[in-house]
Structures are given as structure tokens and as C-alpha cells.
Amino acid sequence: MRLSTTIFLTDRTVAPVRLARELEQRGFAGLYLPEHTHIPVERTTPYPAGGELPEEYGRTLDPFVALAQAAAVTDTLTLGTGITLIAQHDPIDLAKQIATLDHLSGSRFTLGLGFGWNKEEAADHGVEWAERRELGWERVSLMRALWAAEPTAYAGEFGSVRASHAYPKPKGGTVRTLVGGAAGPKLFSRIAEHADGWLPIGGRGLGESIPALRRVWEDAGRDPGELHIVPYAVLPGAGKLAHFAELGIEEVVLQLPPADEATVLKVLDDYAQYLS
């Protein structure tokens, strides 16, 4: 089982370059980064985990810039977002960012995407909350048109692009795409139609949800061996990781604290016991 990590990198935490080097040297598989462009002070949306919103949400580094730094100082560490708030991006710009990062890193990038929880943040990006999922999936389709081998036009409800020359392109015309969100038939149907797998936060209840996703996946005609289920932001324990392995999971993303270098390296020392 591959063990990757995620962390809220901020202007007060360990630096991306230092962390990436340590992860690769220690044998961790990857680094995934979340994003929030800003957190409006006049916020009415409750924090999903309850209580006060942690400070790091408003201090998060741009994940693509931070991952580019990580790519420059590593050779094998996989790089991903967890998650990209897809509806809040201009898809033409995002397609260029993703393709460039994937190209410069040697095809090491995974797009983890989701649809967010903070209505005020989304509104400042011009996103109508009820439309964010449809808008997000359309963003994916538009980006894939730009990544196609031949100039390909795309026209949707929310945006369009002319047939264009757009390089670089991800290897194979796309990047591995994993979707965050709660288990359910609508999400699973969309994953089977548009993505490569699922990023379940924490990994609870996978014994019931994984068979359901696999049924939807296979009913859609997808190859069972190509489904990626990657539990995300996991606080590890030997029993938990063994359970994931029994479920056929091949990668788990462990949560690191949004802390200074010394604190993060100490946690990595502790997590080393789980590396095979």
C-alpha cells in the first residue's frame, strides 16, 4: 500500500520544498494539497467539522504554485490536489496550469476535485451554489477538449472554447482525476462517467460504500482494475490501514498537521512505522 500525505501548507508552516524532499527521502508516495482562495470574514456557512473554522483555511498557499516547487526538487513523489474547487476556476486557465505542472513533473500529477462547502467563497467567484456541481463537471469536459490530441471545440451551458492549439498536453490526453464527496448514487454515477476514482474523507464506512461504487463502475462498462479509491486525510493506525488493505485499497493519504517544520518532521517520524 502506498502512503501519501496531505497538509494545509500556509505562510506559517513547513515550506513546500523542505516537505517534498523529506517525503521522497523517507519513502512516502505523494503529496496532496487543498485550496481556498480566501475565507470571507462575514461567513454564514458553518464549518462542516463543527466549531470554529481553523485559521489555516484562510492562509492556504496556492496548491499549484506549491506543487510546482515540490516537483522541482523531487523525482518520484506524486503530486496532487485534494481538492481543487473546480467550479471556482476559469477552466481554460486551469487546463493550462494542470497540463504545465503534469508536463514539468514528468506526468506525476493527480487532479483531486470537489465542489466545496463555503457558499460565501464560491459566491465571490461568481458561482451560483445550486449550479456548482453541473458547472464543475462542465469545467472538466472543457479542459479535456483543450487536452485532446486534435483541436477540439466545446460548448456547454456555462462556457465554451473554440477548437484551439493548446500545449503542453497531459500524457494520454488527461490526468488521473479523483473526486471528493460523500458516498451516494449521484456521486458514484458521476465518478463512473467522468473520473478515475474517489477520495473519501477519513475512510469511514468503506466496507459498505466500496461495493456500491464498484457496481456502478462496472455497470458503466468501466474496467474494474482501473478504479482508484484513495481514502483521504486519514489519521493512521495499524488496524485501520490493515482494514483498507483488505478492501483492496492501494493508496491512502495521511493527514499532517498545519505546523512548523520541526512538528511536521516529528509526525513523519511517527508515520514511518506504517511504511512497508
Side-chain angles (χ1 to χ4, degrees):
M1 180 184 290
R2 299 188 305 277
L3 296 183
S4 298
T5 60
T6 185
I7 181 174
F8 274 87
L9 286 179
T10 78
D11 55 323
R12 294 178 174 175
T13 66
V14 61
V17 165
R18 179 75 167 119
L19 176 59
R21 284 173 169 156
E22 286 287 339
L23 290 172
E24 185 164 270
Q25 290 169 5
R26 291 165 183 255
F28 289 91
L31 173 63
Y32 292 74
L33 298 180
E35 77 165 346
H36 285 281
T37 53
H38 66 299
I39 299 295
V41 174
E42 295 181 3
R43 185 173 57 82
T44 58
T45 308
Y47 177 40
E52 291 297 316
L53 183 68
E55 180 188 44
E56 58 265 21
Y57 279 75
R59 308 190 75 100
T60 307
L61 300 184
D62 181 291
F64 292 97
V65 176
L67 289 171
Q69 281 201 328
V73 297
T74 57
D75 296 310
T76 60
L77 190 74
T78 60
L79 310 161
T81 52
I83 48 91
T84 294
L85 296 167
I86 186 73
Q88 296 180 189
H89 284 269
D90 179 300
I92 299 174
D93 287 341
L94 184 60
K96 176 66 76 173
Q97 287 178 285
I98 290 171
T100 300
L101 180 54
D102 191 65
H103 170 71
L104 294 177
S105 67
S107 300
R108 287 186 277 154
F109 181 71
T110 290
L111 174 64
L113 66 85
F115 307 100
W117 57 268
N118 191 323
K119 294 181 181 180
E120 292 75 41
E121 179 184 359
D124 285 347
H125 285 278
V127 175
E128 292 291 336
W129 190 247
E131 297 176 344
R132 71 192 188 284
R133 288 185 173 85
E134 291 302 320
L135 172 61
W137 290 119
E138 188 174 292
R139 300 277 201 243
V140 173
S141 296
L142 191 154
M143 291 193 299
R144 288 176 174 167
L146 287 168
W147 296 334
E150 298 297 330
T152 302
Y154 176 83
E157 179 182 354
F158 301 102
S160 63
V161 67
R162 296 172 175 84
S164 302
H165 298 293
Y167 291 84
K169 297 183 185 295
K171 186 177 181 180
T174 189
V175 294
R176 184 174 74 147
T177 301
L178 306 177
V179 184
K186 288 184 179 180
L187 178 70
F188 290 170
S189 177
R190 289 291 201 173
I191 289 173
E193 183 180 359
H194 294 291
D196 301 300
W198 183 30
L199 281 175
I201 303 297
R204 288 186 179 182
L206 292 183
E208 295 75 36
S209 55
I210 286 178
L213 174 55
R214 285 179 173 152
R215 284 193 297 272
V216 174
W217 183 267
E218 293 177 25
D219 287 346
R222 303 290 298 272
D223 183 343
E226 294 182 354
L227 174 60
H228 299 259
I229 299 171
V230 183
Y232 191 81
V234 171
L235 296 176
K240 184 184 296 185
L241 295 179
H243 174 60
F244 290 158
E246 290 171 357
L247 294 173
I249 289 169
E250 298 179 349
E251 181 183 8
V252 177
V253 181
L254 308 182
Q255 182 70 61
L256 293 172
D260 59 29
E261 181 177 311
T263 301
V264 171
L265 296 185
K266 186 176 180 180
V267 174
L268 289 179
D269 289 339
D270 181 56
Y271 285 179
Q273 66 182 297
Y274 304 115
L275 293 170
S276 57

